[in-house]
Each structure stands twice: as structure tokens, then as C-alpha cells.
Amino acid sequence: MKYEIIVLAAGQGKRMKAGRNKQFLTIQNVPLIIHTLQKFEQDPWCSGIVLVVNEKEVEIFEELLIEYPIQKVQSLTVGGDERQHSVYNGLKSLKQAQMVLIHDGARPFVQQNTIHELVEKAASDKAAVLAVPVKDTIKRVEQGTVIETVERSSLWAIQTPQAFLFDVVMNAHEKAKTNEYLGTDDASLVERAGQKVSIVEGNYDNIKLTTPEDLLYAEAILTKLTRTEGV
Ligand code: CTP
Ligand code: MG
């Protein structure tokens, strides 16, 4: 089943402390955002990529896409101050879509079979996200004191891509905008709008590069994937 994808790259990467947008940092000499875009360039189910960037970085991305051509990126969309605003701008620039995926540019290791499982789940259930079981014990803490230990078996760490029927996610974003609600992911807006969201079990390799130590981890994951899957 075909899908369109919104890839988000309009953040500042503050926690990475690289002094510039982390999307340009390299993993085995190729920029992070290019690794991510190549995943979808190579997926026959992906019919188009909306790349969302900061307005001050449009030229840098344009130059990068000349050096590393990605045919499915037809134009760049300017993002907003918050991730949710960037997604909304991406949704508005999608003219025709049935199935839309939303993905962090900083998550370069999602695998094609996982993407396909996710898309099929969203086609039947309208909304689906990738997730992995939480490994740590999670406690709720207030002012330095444990309030509660949350039952781990019901906890899942949520990743991207997240997949939705276009109308479902667009309506959820419009509702959130009207209510001035800011969520941490797109599924939370869809949940709030009353739509059930299904889980597809993903892979622990699908990390988001967030802090400096993730770079070393990413190099190791890429080495492993190149060896085992020939990517
Ligand atoms: N993002 C975006 N627009 C924003 C904020 C974030 O497109 N206004 C994108 C980022 O570029 C990233 C993804 O959303 O690919 C996930 O966000 P995060 O990991 O938080 O990245 P940054 O916001 O760039 O990093 P930080 O929060 O450390 O500044
Ligand atoms: Mg951020």
C-alpha cells in the first residue's frame, strides 16, 4: 500500500550540543538526514516525501539534496517553532494523500519490513505507531520522592514513523490547534480526538539521535545493519 511521508528536520538539536542542527551530523560520513531519507527513497511503497526544514536552513538542505539526490523530495516545507507546528505545515502541503506517515529526521534506522507492517496496521485501524517494550523500571516522582512504581508490562516507548489515514491526522491537528493543545507526538492528538491508536512492535535499533552519546551508538548500529542486512 502506497503512502506519503512527512520527514521532520526543522528542529535545532539543542540537546545534541553540536552548535548546529543535528540533521547535518554525519554517521559513517553521510549526513544523518540523508540516511533517513534514503530509507524512504528505497521503499517502493513510499510515493513522496515532504521534508520540513527551518526557514533559515532551506538553502543548506537544497545544497545537500544536490550532493545526495533524493528523487522523492519534490519540495521543502518550512517548519514552525514546535514539532507539532512543523507537522501541521507538512500536512497542509500534502495535496493528495490517503495514508500519511510522520517521521523524525533524526531516526535513521527504521527498517522496511517494519514500515510495511505499520502501514498495513494503519490501513485497517486508521492509526498506528511503532513502539518497543520499556526495559527500565519507571517510577513517578514528585519533589524527589517516589509516588508510584508504574507496572512495566503496560509501558511502551513510542517511536516514529506514526501512520494515519490523512483525514484522521489532519482533523486531529486542526482540533489541537483550535484547543491550543500541544502534544509530544502526533498519536496523542489523534487519541484526544477520540480515535483508537494501534501499536506495532518495532525494533530497539530505531533510535532517535538526541544527545551526544547517541552518535557513537548510531555508528555501531549502522555497522551492525550493514553487516547483517547489506544496507
Ligand atoms: N522538529 C521539527 N520542528 C521543530 C522541532 C523539532 O521539525 N520545531 C523535528 C526535529 O528536527 C527532529 C524531530 O522533530 O527530527 C524530533 O525532535 P527532537 O529530537 O526533539 O529534535 P530537535 O528539536 O532538533 O532537538 P532538541 O529538542 O534537542 O532541540
Ligand atoms: Mg525538540
Side-chain angles (χ1 to χ4, degrees):
M1 169 164 204
K2 295 277 184 189
Y3 65 85
E4 303 272 331
I5 188 158
I6 297 169
V7 174
L8 301 163
Q12 296 182 46
K14 282 189 194 148
R15 285 169 289 174
M16 188 56 81
K17 299 190 175 85
R20 60 185 168 136
N21 189 349
K22 62 188 176 185
Q23 309 291 332
F24 306 123
L25 299 179
T26 59
I27 311 166
Q28 294 180 9
N29 298 317
V30 174
L32 167 54
I33 187 64
I34 298 298
H35 282 288
T36 305
L37 293 173
Q38 280 170 347
K39 282 275 143 57
F40 300 99
E41 179 79 351
Q42 287 158 8
D43 180 4
W45 289 22
C46 177
S47 46
I49 303 171
V50 171
L51 180 59
V52 186
V53 305
N54 186 292
E55 61 179 339
K56 294 188 191 117
E57 294 177 336
V58 170
E59 278 177 27
I60 311 177
F61 277 100
E62 278 172 352
E63 280 163 24
L64 204 61
L65 289 169
I66 291 170
E67 195 180 343
Y68 300 94
I70 306 283
Q71 308 302 334
K72 290 178 187 172
V73 177
Q74 272 151 20
S75 62
L76 302 181
T77 294
V78 168
D81 286 346
E82 299 288 343
R83 184 187 180 282
Q84 187 173 315
H85 304 143
S86 295
V87 174
Y88 188 54
N89 289 356
L91 286 171
K92 282 190 289 186
S93 75
L94 270 178
K95 284 169 203 88
Q96 268 195 328
Q98 268 210 308
M99 174 67 63
V100 54
L101 268 57
I102 298 168
H103 188 53
D104 296 324
R107 244 182 239 276
F109 301 125
V110 63
Q111 296 296 293
Q112 198 175 98
N113 57 348
T114 312
I115 299 168
H116 290 184
E117 244 184 88
L118 177 76
V119 169
E120 281 178 339
K121 193 73 170 170
S124 66
D125 295 4
K126 299 187 182 170
V129 299
L130 288 185
V132 286
V134 166
K135 297 180 193 178
D136 294 318
T137 294
I138 309 280
K139 296 182 192 284
R140 197 181 307 281
V141 176
E142 277 173 24
Q143 284 144 16
T145 304
V146 172
I147 302 295
E148 149 186 45
T149 301
V150 189
E151 171 60 36
R152 188 170 57 200
S153 61
S154 67
L155 291 176
W156 290 73
I158 305 302
Q159 306 175 335
T160 71
Q162 301 193 342
F164 310 96
L165 295 185
F166 178 79
D167 292 346
V168 166
V169 68
M170 190 51 145
N171 290 342
H173 267 267
E174 275 166 353
K175 222 176 216 174
K177 190 171 185 246
T178 307
N179 300 333
E180 293 179 21
Y181 174 77
L182 205 58
T184 51
D185 73 346
D186 301 288
S188 65
L189 311 190
V190 170
E191 292 153 30
R192 259 184 128 245
Q195 171 63 49
K196 280 204 178 113
V197 176
S198 296
I199 291 286
V200 170
E201 185 161 356
N203 191 295
Y204 290 107
D205 285 342
N206 183 24
I207 63 163
K208 176 165 70 68
L209 277 77
T210 306
T211 53
E213 58 273 17
D214 292 333
L215 275 171
L216 260 179
Y217 189 23
E219 294 277 345
I221 293 172
L222 186 56
T223 300
K224 184 189 86 172
L225 293 178
T226 309
R227 235 186 255 142
T228 56
E229 292 163 30
V231 288

